[in-house]
Each structure stands twice: as structure tokens, then as C-alpha cells.
């Protein structure tokens, strides 16, 4: 483990620094104290078993995630406290207290048992943002089934890939969900996916919309029908701390999404603690994280973080600007939201509509704001701070990833708020030893761009990649041997503050959603007209990055507006609407190295208008000119 040199490199000395130093000096004691705030059926024998790069946290300890999120609160005064204040896009509302949640989770756990789900089985969930989504997750956790949630914006083939990889036995879905006034036909998409998923024995369908949908006799069951005969209580299974709580698929640098596996004990301890440190949650707060539960932010900071802390959360089903651009501000006012956690993309999108919309509402209940998912630009930061937060509310810019389980770098108001700098996530949280290194893995000089690394394990870290420990070692632990490599550029300024500077690999953040360039290329290539494809991100004023694709066509196919439309539609079908390319350029050749590898550096440079640099290994420099020409043509079109 590296040395603790924060003092020399950090100017702000306050409670944070003291707390941070203590957390690193005796890491095991520190995490052991944090962990004892949860309910364990059996205490651990060992805080950490570190067999690099595999970590086991709280070894020998036994617990249950649903017990820690619901049972524990119904045993005390929070029994009738609101756990979830839900609002549907059409305007319907529901409030679920901890007692309600407890009842529903128990009943649905009984449903899963009756369908033959056992501890260790996988359950897939493909649902809109309704309370039954967290209920399904907690019910699976109660009986020790590992769940995998698939974002409801993903296509049938993306869903099928994830079900096949996880070999889920049961799929939980709905007859639809509302998005910008339209109904997403989840059941039909699921049916399409299931044509090719032999592991699925049963499908449970929640009635959200009330429309006619196909139901397959013997395989498909209505949620409400099954719940009628459900038991009122199901004993929570006492699980090992290292029991996999969930698998969440995320994009990497190959076409195949990675199944990130999170543990029960380590993960729960980490999200419980970070929910407190960063969001400073108190019992009278109304906390709202606007993420979709289909992504990690929703798993950690809508479901497990808030519920282990007994917090009241707002959950909203639909689009931020539906039916009008003040929908979010209306919700903040209606429920008196005190803590708001969202993405820079959402802020930029809402900012474009103008101040008039937030000004229509009383936002004075807000006391803390947060962002996640991508770097925040100063203009968006200031708008969020002044217009939404009324100049009163600190902004916690939280850096983390699907793999890290919870927030690693962020201001921590509950520990001691350091002076904020717009665009900087400030400092690592307690127990997190972060640094910025150069190509060789040596600490980068202050002010110089390098790679972010994490130098010791932490409880929230992924255990492995599902069924692929080799890939886990290779992706995260081989770039700089022995230390965790997240794949982000970063820089520390002269005061030691961390600035996160975007991905250093082939991963895009489009509207905060994580996508692999190769996944999009594979989708394009699966179209019969496409020979080759190269995808890059171009900075976008609202979405952070926009997807730019260059394609070469097979013989007999010609570029046309129709083909452009068809290819965009094709990518939507293969991955989902979030992966739709903004621009598609037809070229006769892609820039390649002599060995035939596409020069992504060149594609990216051309797409972003940056300098191209050394092209001596290019097979045919003319194609660079071609890619440049394509960009020029487009720029002309836009003018
Ligand atoms: C990026 C989302 C700058 C980063 C929780 C990371 C950020 C990737 C920030 C993970 C931030 C996340 N500032 N960049 N505050 N937060 N990122 O797995 O590139 O969807 O590696 O997890 O988002 O994306 P993921």
C-alpha cells in the first residue's frame, strides 16, 4: 500500500483531512467500525482478505440486504415513515412507507420462491421506474437470488445478451412504462428477447399501463395474480458477506458488455457509508436521485444507500421535460425536496429552457445538490448553484463507476466540507487512496494530466466480472500492476484537488450513459450494407459527448439519406435509443495501421477537430484526408 502523503498535497485542513488520515492509517479498524452500523446475523472473522486483485470483505460475516433495508426500519420508529414517494409520468402518485415496502418485499420474495427460485439463482429485471422495481430487487436479495437489472431503454437483443450471460431463471417485466407521453412496449421487447433465452422458466409481468399484451400460457404470470396467494413473511436468508448481490452489465472496450459482480456485505457497507458522508442524509430529509435504477447510480443511491439509511426518497418515472420543462422543479416544490442528485447532462438540458421554469417554483427547501456521471462544466455548475440552489447549497460532484459500487471522490459535507471548485470532485472519500500517475505509473506532477488510480481495495469494489475473472484482472489491474485502473484521465491541481478529465479508453459517456464505441461499431456492422465502421465521441454542449460514426459500405450499396436513416434506426434496434449515432459519414476507407487495426486516435481526433499527431503507422494517409473531408462537408451543411 502506498504512503499517505495527502498532507503535503492538500491545502484545506479541516475535519475532513483528519478523518481521512485516520481512515487510511488503520483501514481495517476503520471499515470494521463502519460495518458494525449495519445488522449482521454473524460478525465477520476477518475484515479483508486481499489476494490481489481479488478482495473479500468481512469474511465469515453473514447478513441480508433486504433485512438491512426494510426489516430493520419496521422494527423501530421508521415503520410508518415514507420510504418511497413515487410519481408516475402521467401524474399518478403513490407513497410507500417502510412498512409497505416490507410487506411487498416479503410477498414478492414468496412469489419468487413459489416459482422455484433458489439461493444462488439469477433473476433478471426489465422494468420501468415504478416501486415494484426496487421491490423485485429486494425480494430477490431476501432469498439470496442474484439479480441483474437491465435498463428499460435497452433493446431486445441487449436484454437477450444479458439474460443469456447471467443464465437467469426468471424475468420480471411490465406491460409498459411511460416516457415522454409514449408507452414503451416492454413486454413485446421482452418476448422478442426471450425467443433466444433458454434459461428463462417464468416471466412475471407487472401491470403498469393496463394495455392488452401477449401472455404465454404457463410461462407468463401477472404480478398481481401471483401476489394474491403470496405469504406475508419470508425469512431473510443469512448470506455470506461475499454472496453476489447483483450483476450489472456495463460497457467496456470490447463489444461484449462486462458483468460487474457486487458482493452483499462490502457493497452494502460502502453505499450505506457514502450515502451519509456525501449526502449527509438526516431523518427529515426528502432526498431525490433522478437516475434510472437500470444504471448503477440508481442501484446504489436510489435503492441500497437511501434504504439502508432509512431515508425518504422521491422516485419519478418519466422525462424531466414532460409535459413541460418545469416538471422536475414542480416535483421539488411538491414534496419539499432537500437533496437533489442528478447529471450534468440533465442540468445542461434544463438550463437551455431558461431560468423562467425553475423560477416558477419554490425551490427553497433544497440544501444540498449533487452531480454524477461526467465532468461538469463551469457554466452548468454555476447555473445549478445559483438558479437551482439559490446560492445556498453546496454541490457534491461525485466521481465513481459501476465497478466501484459507490462514490470514491467527492466532497463529503457530513465529514467536513472542503472549499469547492466548480468542476473538481475535490478529494477522495475516507478509505480511498487515490492518485494520478503518468504512463509509467509514477505519481504525476501537480497540474499535469495523467491516469487516475486507486491504490488499495475498498469495500464497494466489484468482486470480479461474471464468469470472466481473467478479463477482470486484465481490464482493471494490468495497466499498472497491483493498483486499480478505472480508465479515466485526471489531474491534481496545485492545491491537490482532483479534476476528472474524461475516459482514457474507448468508452463514451453520452448523456451520462456509458457506451462502448466497439458495441456501436458491432451494431453498425451487423447491418447488411456496412463493411466497416469506426465510432468516436465528439464534445456536445448538452449531452457531453455525441456519437459520430464513419462507415464503409459493401459493394453494391451507395450512400444515401435513406441509408443514414436506416442505419440510425438499426443501431436503435440493436442497442437502444441512447446509442443512436448523431452523424453517420460514408467514407471509402477507414484510417488503419499497417497491421490492419483501425486508428481510433485518428478517428477521434478528426471527429473532435483536434490535432492528429503522428500518422507514420497509417496504412494510407489519404483516408485521413477523407475522414477530414467528411467532417468538412458536414460543417458546411450545418452552416
Ligand atoms: C465518468 C457512473 C467526471 C467517468 C456512476 C467514469 C465522471 C464513468 C464523474 C463511469 C464525475 C462518473 N466527473 N466523470 N463526477 N462520475 N464519471 O459506470 O468517466 O456509468 O469512469 O458510472 O463516468 O460510468 P458508470
Amino acid at each position: 500500500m502506498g504512503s499517505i502523503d495527502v498532507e503535503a498535497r492538500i491545502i484545506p485542513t479541516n475535519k475532513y483531512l483528519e478523518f481521512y488520515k485516520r481512515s487510511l492509517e488503520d483501514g481495517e479498524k476503520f471499515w470494521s467500525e463502519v460495518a458494525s452500523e449495519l445488522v449482521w446475523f454473524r460478525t465477520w472473522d476477518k475484515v479483508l482478505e486481499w489476494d490481489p486483485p481479488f478482495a473479500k470483505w468481512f469474511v465469515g460475516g453473514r447478513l441480508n440486504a433486504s433485512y438491512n433495508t426494510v426489516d430493520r426500519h419496521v422494527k423501530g420508529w421508521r415503520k410508518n415513515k415514507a420510504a418511497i414517494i413515487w410519481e408516475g409520468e402521467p401524474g399518478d402518485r403513490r407513497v410507500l412507507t417502510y412498512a409497505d415496502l416490507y410487506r411487498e418485499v416479503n410477498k414478492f420474495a414468496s412469489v419468487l420462491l413459489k416459482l422455484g427460485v433458489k439461493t444462488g439463482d439469477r433473476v433478471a429485471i426489465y422494468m420501468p421506474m415504478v416501486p415494484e422495481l426496487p421491490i423485485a430487487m429486494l425480494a430477490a436479495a431476501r432469498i439470496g437470488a442474484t439479480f441483474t437489472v437491465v435498463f428499460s431503454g435497452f433493446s431486445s437483443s441487449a436484454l437477450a445478451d444479458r439474460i443469456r450471460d447471467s443464465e437467469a431463471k426468471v424475468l420480471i417485466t411490465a406491460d409498459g412504462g411511460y416516457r415522454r407521453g409514449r408507452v414503451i412496449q416492454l413486454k413485446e421487447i421482452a418476448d422478442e428477447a426471450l425467443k433466444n433465452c433458454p434459461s428463462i422458466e417464468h416471466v412475471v409481468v407487472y401491470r403498469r399501463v393496463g394495455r392488452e399484451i401477449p401472455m404465454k400460457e404457463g410461462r407468463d404470470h401477472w404480478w398481481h395474480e401471483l401476489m394474491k396467494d403470496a405469504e406475508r413473511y419470508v425469512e431473510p436468508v443469512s448470506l455470506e458477506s461475499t454472496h453476489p448481490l447483483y450483476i450489472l452489465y456495463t460497457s467496456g472496450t470490447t463489444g461484449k458488455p462486462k458483468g460487474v459482480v457486487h458482493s452483499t456485505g462490502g457493497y452494502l457497507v460502502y453505499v450505506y457509508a457514502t450515502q451519509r458522508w456525501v449526502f449527509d442524509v438526516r431523518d427529515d430529509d426528502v432526498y431525490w436521485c433522478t437516475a434510472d435504477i437500470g444504471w448503477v447510480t440508481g442501484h446504489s443511491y436510489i435503492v441500497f444507500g437511501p434504504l439502508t439509511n432509512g431515508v425518504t426518497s422521491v422516485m419519478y418515472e418519466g422525462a424531466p421535460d414532460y409535459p413541460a420543462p418545469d416538471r422536475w422543479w414542480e416535483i421539488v416544490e411538491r414534496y419539499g425536496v432537500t437533496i437533489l442528485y442528478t447529471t450534468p447532462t440533465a442540468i445542461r438540458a434544463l438550463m437551455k429552457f431558461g431560468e423562467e421554469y425553475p423560477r416558477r417554483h419554490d425551490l427553497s427547501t433544497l440544501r444540498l445538490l449533487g452531480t454524477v456521471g461526467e465532468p461538469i462544466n463551469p457554466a452548468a455548475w454555476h447555473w445549478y448553484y445559483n438558479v437551482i440552489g439559490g446560492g445556498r447549497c453546496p454541490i457534491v460532484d461525485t466521481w465513481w463507476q459501476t465497478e466501484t459500487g459507490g462514490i470514491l471522490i467527492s466532497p463529503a459535507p457530513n465529514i467536513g466540507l472542503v472549499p469547492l471548485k466548480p468542476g473538481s470532485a475535490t478529494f477522495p472519500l475516507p478509505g480511498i487512496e487515490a492518485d494520478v500517475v503518468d504512463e509509467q505509473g509514477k505519481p504525476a506532477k501537480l497540474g499535469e494530466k495523467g491516469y487516475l488510480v486507486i491504490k488499495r481495495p475498498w469495500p464497494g469494489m466489484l468482486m470480479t466480472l461474471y464468469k470472466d475473472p481473467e478479463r477482470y484482472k486484465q481490464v482493471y489491474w494490468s495497466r499498472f500492476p497491483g493498483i486499480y485502473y478505472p480508465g479515466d484521465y485526471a489531474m491534481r491541481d496545485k492545491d491537490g484537488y482532483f479534476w476528472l478529465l474524461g475516459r482514457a479508453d474507448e468508452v463514451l459517456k453520452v448523456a451520462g450513459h456509458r457506451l462502448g464505441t466497439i458495441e456501436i461499431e458491432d451494431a453498425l456492422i451487423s447491418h447488411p450494407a456496412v463493411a466497416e465502421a469506426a465510432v468516436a465521441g465528439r464534445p456536445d454542449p448538452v449531452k457531453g459527448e455525441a456519437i459520430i460514426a464513419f462507415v464503409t459500405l459493401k459493394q453494391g450499396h451507395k450512400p444515401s439519406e435513406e441509408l443514414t436513416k436506416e442505419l440510425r434506426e438499426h443501431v436503435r434496434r440493436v442497442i437502444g435509443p441512447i446509442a443512436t449515432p448523431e452523424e453517420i459519414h460514408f467514407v471509402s476507407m477507414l484510417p488503419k495501421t499497417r497491421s490492419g487495426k483501425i486508428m481510433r486516435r485518428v478517428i477521434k481526433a478528426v471527429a473532435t477537430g483536434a490535432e492528429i499527431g503522428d500518422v507514420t503507422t497509417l496504412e494510407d494517409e489519404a483516408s485521413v484526408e477523407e475522414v477530414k473531408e467528411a467532417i468538412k462537408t458536414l460543417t458546411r451543411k450545418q452552416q
Side-chain angles (χ1 to χ4, degrees), residues 250 295-297 341 344 371-376 397-404 409 423 425 486-488 500-503 507 509 512-514:
T250 188
W295 304 96
V296 75
T297 306
Y341 187 32
T371 73
V372 61
E374 32 171 347
I376 183 163
D397 178 348
T398 65
W399 179 89
W400 60 296
Q401 315 179 288
T402 306
E403 293 86 342
T404 68
I409 305 180
D488 273 42
L500 284 311
L501 304 174
R503 298 290 307 194
V507 168
K509 292 305 298 249
H513 299 137
R514 181 164 162 185

Side-chain angles (χ1 to χ4, degrees), residues 221-364:
H221 318 269
W222 285 107
W223 174 293
H224 59 268
E225 298 284 342
L226 296 175
M227 289 292 259
K228 278 186 198 152
D229 308 319
E231 306 294 332
R232 294 294 178 272
Y233 180 75
V234 169
E235 186 78 22
V237 178
S238 169
L239 298 163
E240 275 181 37
S241 173
T242 51
H243 184 79
L245 176 62
Y246 67 83
I247 305 168
L248 183 57
Y249 289 86
T250 188
S251 297
T253 53
T254 72
K256 192 175 171 284
K258 304 179 282 193
V260 169
V261 182
H262 279 295
S263 70
T264 303
Y267 173 79
L268 220 55
V269 166
Y270 197 70
V271 295
Y272 164 79
T274 50
Q275 180 79 43
R276 298 208 132 181
W277 294 336
V278 174
F279 299 107
D280 182 39
V281 285
R282 304 174 198 168
D283 264 312
D284 56 357
D285 273 315
V286 179
Y287 163 87
W288 183 20
C289 166
T290 67
D292 190 292
I293 295 178
W295 304 96
V296 75
T297 306
H299 281 61
S300 298
Y301 299 110
I302 295 181
V303 184
F304 294 101
L307 296 178
T308 47
N309 280 285
V311 166
T312 295
S313 270
V314 170
M315 183 174 168
Y316 170 59
E317 178 187 32
D321 54 351
Y322 187 86
D326 63 341
R327 182 64 185 269
W328 274 15
W329 317 129
E330 189 184 301
I331 292 175
V332 168
E333 178 173 13
R334 177 152 45 245
Y335 305 110
V337 172
T338 57
I339 304 167
L340 178 66
Y341 187 32
T342 191
T343 61
T345 289
I347 297 164
R348 289 189 294 258
L350 292 167
M351 186 174 152
K352 264 181 63 177
F353 293 113
E355 284 186 25
E356 158 204 357
Y357 291 98
R359 295 259 182 259
R360 282 186 198 166
H361 298 278
D362 177 5
L363 306 180
S364 65

Side-chain angles (χ1 to χ4, degrees), residues 94 104 128 150 284 298 306 308 320 437 464-465 488 535 547 550 636:
R94 288 164 67 189
E104 298 302 305
V150 180
D284 56 357
T308 47
V437 299
T464 187
L465 291 177
D488 273 42
V535 162
I547 302 168
F550 297 95
R636 273 201 298 273

